[in-house]
Amino acid sequence: MYAQMIKSEATQEDPEKLAAFQARIDAGEKIEPKDWMPLGYRKTLIRQIGQHAHSEIVGQLPEGNWITRAPTLERKAILLAKVQDEAGHGLYLYCAAETLGVTRDEITEMLLDGRMKYSSIFNYPTLTWADMGAVGWLVDGAAIMNQVPLQRTSFGPYSRAMIRICKEESFHQRQGYDIMMKMASGTPAQKKMAQDALNRFWYPSLMMFGPSDKESVHSEQSMAWKIKMNTNDELRQKFVDQTVPQAEYLGLTVPDENLKWNEETGHYDFSQPDWSEFFDVLKGNGPCNRERLAARNKAWDDGKWVRDGLLAHAEKKAARKVAAE
Amino acid sequence: MTRDMAFFEFLCRMGDNTLVLGHRVSEWCGHAPVLEEDIALANTALDLIGQTQMWLGLAGEVEGEGRSADDLAMLRDAWDFRNVLLAEQPNGDFGQTMMRQYLFDQAHVLLLQKLAGSSDERVAGIAAKAVKEVAYHVERSRDTVIGLGDGTSESHRRMQAALDLLWPYAGEMFTDDEVSGIMAGEGIAPEPSSLRAAWDAAVQETMSEATLVIPDSDFAHAGGKTGFRHSEHLGHMLTQMQWLQRAYPGARW
């Protein structure tokens, strides 16, 4: 999915090396794992890629919540395929993070004990089938806005992971919109579900871009390193401009009285989300924070005997092979 | 029983096995012991649901009353389901899930290999596609059963418990009846009992490599594939699986 509120690390290193590094980035070169890189660049990327990977993993839960209740076999298959893709995205991203010198298990432990975050959007509940549409349309839509520019990010493995992920995400977004179309043109109850889903997911989707970062020092450093490609406000505006006509096409109402096309700017004016809610969710007080983290911890703890068992078997097998040679 | 009635029953057995087991496997989504297993379980569930669409689609066609695969999946009650009891057993721990999967996959792959040569082209076509997927399922579930059986003392203990628990549900996959007799007579599908020896041999080999002991009993629960007496678990599964279709009749999704 994406990463939010990543603070870049301060770097105190040889100015000459730093200048040469910056020159490579400015020239559009990709930085590869074995290349020299500032410690701050490495640490910021581990945090950003790790958080992105965790978001993919936790993001399985709100959608997994509806797999067993999908209304048709086809919808069930599509949703399964989507959640499977997300687990796959998690895998590429953990691999990209590993090239920076952390193991998957290390950063998984950091997710589980709360030292690392995942995207706050997954702390909202999925309450009706229309939420499967809204998540695909709005949440994946917002994720794509964040991720498309990251295909050009300076770190090679991250950039390559993003290229693969973006292809699948745009498919997910179309599937989500397809569910919304069916619901919005369906029975009155279905239409009500669709509107309700939009009402609940609109502002949390706007929050996915993070608070305004116009004056953030951290953002400036990340943008110079091409770890961050656009400001949060630019991406949020782009998302609103793209999404409002799609809502109109569905015959649904965006829950914002101030939403208005502005001829002068060529963009929509819109209300900011309630940022105090955003910080509450970030602090652990979202509607589902406890459940999501508890589910991941339970999966990890319950799975320990499986991981240990398979590892022990692999070691025995290797030992038998050596003994036979 | 007419040929078409038997054929419909047979197709429901195929489709309900994949539907019910696919549903069970999909319950794991996001909760597996390791990321690779999340991916593999979702993939297995996805294959099984895809096969369900084909088997139940053909069942509706053979029945000729205009019921689609979705109608059969979402609007029948438990007594009309024809899956074996093994498929509807709860997931339990990961070991129980994988043991259930292996016992089923090993029979499934042997059956599909035969069905690929069915006298009915539609059956042969579905089987030819499904057998490729199921060959992968059995390879994976077999490796997992072996790995966990042979792993640590705890994983061994859990796998032996899973085998002991599920063994009495394996035999139902190999019982013959009027439906299977008609199918065999028509050359559409083999008698299930004809697959038993090959299954026994494969399972014996797997369990021996897994250092697990097959229970010394050939007792087999019955009642799933005839629909006579399912376990209590199936009804609960259907309340979840069929909820939207039942709550909003006639809506299109």
Side-chain angles (χ1 to χ4, degrees), chain A residues 48 51 83 129 133 144 157 167 183 196 200 212 232 243 263-264 276 297 301 306 318:
Chain A
Q48 181 167 336
Q51 187 185 106
V83 177
W129 176 251
I144 293 167
K167 280 185 196 154
M183 303 290 284
D196 176 62
R200 282 181 290 107
S212 184
N232 295 348
T243 308
E263 281 293 346
E264 265 174 50
S276 66
N297 270 290
D301 295 344
V306 177

Side-chain angles (χ1 to χ4, degrees), chain A residues 109-140:
Chain A
E109 298 282 359
M110 290 169 83
L111 165 71
L112 297 177
D113 66 20
R115 278 176 292 161
M116 282 182 90
K117 300 276 182 213
Y118 54 90
S119 172
S120 287
I121 191 74
F122 300 120
N123 289 317
Y124 288 88
T126 53
L127 302 177
T128 73
W129 176 251
D131 289 11
M132 295 302 97
V135 167
W137 172 38
L138 301 173
V139 174
D140 291 328

Side-chain angles (χ1 to χ4, degrees), chain A residues 57 68-69 71-73 75-77 83-84 87 91 104 182 190 193 296 299 303 305 307 309 313 316 320, chain B residues 23 26 29-31 33 35-36 39 43 46 70 95 147-148 150-151 155 158 240-241 244-245 248 252-253:
Chain A
I57 303 311
T68 55
R69 288 177 290 172
T72 67
L73 296 170
R75 290 292 181 200
K76 192 184 183 77
V83 177
Q84 188 193 9
L91 202 55
R104 199 209 300 183
K182 270 268 164 51
Q190 286 176 303
M193 283 182 218
R296 289 310 308 162
W305 73 269
R307 297 189 300 275
H313 170 68
K316 284 187 203 175
R320 281 195 290 264
Chain B
H23 185 97
S26 78
C29 181
H31 304 279
L35 189 48
E36 284 80 354
I39 295 173
N43 192 53
L46 187 55
D70 281 330
L148 293 174
D150 177 58
S155 72
R158 286 175 182 260
Q240 200 170 69
M241 185 169 85
L244 275 173
Q245 291 281 358
Y248 300 94
R252 295 170 62 86
W253 303 92

